[in-house]
Amino acid sequence: MKKIIGALLILVFSNLFGEYKYPFKNPYMATILGSSTLMTDGVSEAVPTKVYKVKLPNSKEPPENLWYNGKFEFSLVHQKEKAPLIFLLAGTGSDYHATRMVLFQRIFYDAGFHVISITSPMHSNFIVNASTNKMPGMIIEDGKDIYKVMKETYNIVKDDIEVSDFYVVGYSLGGTSSAVVSYLDEKEKAFNFKRVFMVNPAVDIYSSAVKLDKELNRYTDNDPKKIGVLIDNVISKVSSTLKGGYTEITEETIYKLFENDVLSNEDMSQLIGLAFRLISIDLNYVTDLLNNMGVYVTEPVGKFTNMFPYFEKIDFADFEDYMNRLAYPYYKKKFGGNITLDQLLTTTTLKQIEDYLKTTDKIVAVTNRDELILNENDFKFLENTFKDRLIIYPYGGHCGNMFYIENVDVMLKFLKEGVFKYEN
């Protein structure tokens, strides 16, 4: 039945908008091959970019072994003349200069925008320097932190650029956060955002995280030994590919390493799940350390402390572990025990601002019918909430088609003209 419904939806899309020619019909292949690939001709190879490393107000010195996160990092891509400014929000666990962020920066620069790029609230640099609770995942609280960062970063660069209007664009978790900061700005009006573009947003970040964890667990049974073998394969590939130097093993690193391999759906599913699991492992460790929770880190950690025992103790912890072992105990204590886990999980969803999202015409969203992080209830929420401010493309997986020329054209037409429609 689901296949029939999917086929009908694709047929309706084709009839309404014309044939959609995105090349990857497999959602796993689209996610791995497309999500970091520019499929738009004529985009500048390099754009004027300035990187900032700053001490934010009220930020504290990080623990010794997180010394490299001593300052908050962000970037500015700037026009020479007066122009609109886009705040670009990174996907889950990604930083301001991830490959996907850089591709967006190049596209937006050529389209005539300034761009301030902001790291994900689930990245260690953001958690250490900009997170109020040091325990991300509650989207309104995270949104407040991002909004503060927006104000601070703009204040730092405002004397160097002339801005006509303010916009927000985010993908994945950044797409979710885009809606939240727009909601917050309606009251404070520090920017009075003109338009907001959400790319492949999560509706409920907890349920989306569980779906991604299942991509790994489906084939490994969440067995640490099997996951360990998979990670060893990735590390081995990194070692054989790099010619000296250091690289951070991220989602994009993993996808890049295996993009030329012949992979089965099982292989691709595991890689996508593993990429997210590495984010969860880091999240478990960093939040435990910063909040002195004692779940994994039970002894003082120095700059040169052997970290293997701590990572071994984390034992490939996933996002559910994070919520159950760290976030819930933290917030339960903060609220004096007057909160259940189910109540906490309601803070991870866009449904908190449903009324606002239904009534504002400045926010639009795009996603894909084969999106890996959404379930049927999520699609219903998006359709009922955004109505004609939502485009669901038939293919693309998770963020796999966001740099495809037809998607880019839709995005830029909305940002520049306020017109939101797909034309083939």
Side-chain angles (χ1 to χ4, degrees):
M1 179 60 74
K2 287 184 178 179
K3 289 183 178 179
I4 294 174
I5 293 173
L8 288 173
L9 288 167
I10 291 169
L11 180 61
V12 169
F13 186 96
S14 297
N15 288 337
L16 291 176
F17 305 117
E19 183 183 359
Y20 185 59
K21 298 177 182 179
Y22 179 72
F24 304 120
K25 305 298 188 288
N26 181 309
Y28 299 116
M29 189 175 295
T31 302
I32 291 174
L33 295 182
S35 61
S36 301
T37 304
L38 186 61
M39 289 179 275
T40 301
D41 294 331
V43 179
S44 296
E45 287 292 330
V47 297
T49 306
K50 184 175 181 180
V51 174
Y52 295 80
K53 298 182 180 182
V54 299
K55 273 290 184 184
L56 295 176
N58 302 317
S59 65
K60 299 178 181 178
E61 288 298 315
E64 287 187 19
N65 67 319
L66 296 180
W67 59 269
Y68 49 88
N69 281 317
K71 293 183 178 180
F72 183 76
E73 301 179 14
F74 71 98
S75 69
L76 170 69
V77 171
H78 55 90
Q79 304 288 337
K80 292 181 180 179
E81 62 281 344
K82 187 175 185 178
L85 168 65
I86 290 176
F87 285 101
L88 178 61
L89 307 185
T92 312
S94 294
D95 62 21
Y96 69 97
H97 62 79
T99 299
R100 299 174 191 179
M101 296 290 278
V102 172
L103 293 179
F104 272 121
Q105 290 164 16
R106 291 165 55 191
I107 290 168
F108 292 144
Y109 175 79
D110 283 356
F113 293 91
H114 306 297
V115 185
I116 290 179
S117 297
I118 297 176
T119 292
S120 167
M122 289 194 181
H123 188 280
S124 60
N125 186 259
F126 193 104
I127 299 172
V128 169
N129 292 282
S131 175
T132 301
N133 293 301
K134 314 297 185 192
M135 197 67 71
M138 314 326 121
I139 63 171
I140 300 296
E141 295 303 308
D142 292 349
K144 291 177 181 177
D145 290 332
I146 295 169
Y147 193 59
K148 288 178 187 175
V149 165
M150 287 177 165
K151 290 183 285 187
E152 291 295 338
T153 54
Y154 176 63
N155 189 54
I156 290 168
V157 307
K158 66 181 181 181
D159 291 336
D160 298 324
I161 58 174
E162 284 190 87
V163 176
S164 56
D165 293 293
F166 296 92
Y167 297 72
V168 187
V169 177
Y171 67 93
S172 191
L173 177 59
T176 308
S177 300
S178 296
V180 177
V181 297
S182 180
Y183 167 76
L184 296 171
D185 190 61
E186 290 296 334
K187 297 178 181 179
E188 188 168 334
K189 294 196 178 297
F191 302 104
N192 194 23
F193 296 121
K194 188 172 183 178
R195 297 186 186 108
V196 179
F197 197 89
M198 304 167 66
V199 182
N200 291 84
V203 171
D204 182 331
I205 66 170
Y206 178 76
S207 67
S208 290
V210 171
K211 280 181 69 67
L212 288 174
D213 278 328
K214 286 181 179 178
E215 296 292 342
L216 181 62
N217 297 344
R218 183 183 302 136
Y219 302 107
T220 64
D221 302 317
N222 209 25
D223 182 342
K225 290 184 179 179
K226 293 179 181 178
I227 298 174
V229 169
L230 190 58
I231 289 179
D232 286 343
N233 289 340
V234 170
I235 293 174
S236 176
K237 189 104 173 178
V238 170
S239 300
S240 63
T241 302
L242 291 180
K243 297 179 180 179
Y246 165 81
T247 187
E248 183 181 4
I249 300 178
T250 65
E251 179 182 25
E252 292 173 348
T253 305
I254 291 174
Y255 293 170
K256 198 71 178 174
L257 286 171
F258 290 90
E259 66 180 358
N260 294 321
D261 290 12
V262 177
L263 301 172
S264 66
N265 281 347
E266 177 180 332
D267 295 330
M268 291 187 287
S269 176
Q270 288 186 79
L271 286 175
I272 291 167
L274 176 64
F276 180 73
R277 181 63 60 86
L278 292 178
I279 295 171
S280 295
I281 292 169
D282 193 52
L283 186 63
N284 273 274
Y285 172 74
V286 171
T287 56
D288 183 43
L289 175 65
L290 293 177
N291 289 288
N292 298 311
M293 299 285 286
V295 175
Y296 308 110
V297 185
T298 54
E299 298 176 6
V301 179
K303 188 172 183 178
F304 302 107
T305 299
N306 177 15
M307 298 309 300
F308 182 77
Y310 297 101
F311 294 140
E312 190 174 43
K313 193 172 182 181
I314 291 173
D315 203 20
F316 307 112
D318 58 20
F319 195 81
E320 285 186 271
D321 290 319
Y322 166 70
M323 291 297 297
N324 283 289
R325 303 186 71 182
L326 291 162
Y328 177 55
Y330 173 88
Y331 284 104
K332 185 176 181 180
K333 182 179 180 180
K334 181 175 180 178
F335 294 116
N338 297 319
I339 187 172
T340 66
L341 178 59
D342 286 342
Q343 287 173 329
L344 181 64
L345 293 180
T346 64
T347 69
T348 69
T349 172
L350 280 176
K351 293 176 182 178
Q352 299 170 90
I353 58 172
E354 181 177 359
D355 290 342
Y356 168 69
L357 295 177
K358 282 183 174 180
T359 56
T360 181
D361 61 0
K362 70 172 62 175
I363 305 178
V364 301
V366 295
T367 189
N368 302 313
R369 183 52 64 181
D370 60 356
E371 170 61 78
L372 299 177
I373 69 169
L374 300 181
N375 58 38
E376 286 306 312
N377 287 332
D378 295 332
F379 280 112
K380 288 178 183 177
F381 173 83
L382 291 173
E383 290 163 347
N384 292 335
T385 301
F386 290 96
K387 299 187 183 305
D388 61 353
R389 293 179 291 113
L390 171 72
I391 291 176
I392 302 178
Y393 295 104
Y395 314 111
H398 182 55
C399 297
N401 55 346
M402 62 187 180
F403 301 121
Y404 179 52
I405 185 169
E406 296 179 30
N407 294 59
V408 170
D409 288 345
V410 167
M411 177 176 64
L412 294 181
K413 193 170 185 66
F414 172 72
L415 292 173
K416 295 170 76 172
E417 303 175 26
V419 176
F420 184 61
K421 61 182 178 179
Y422 176 79
E423 294 179 344
N424 189 278

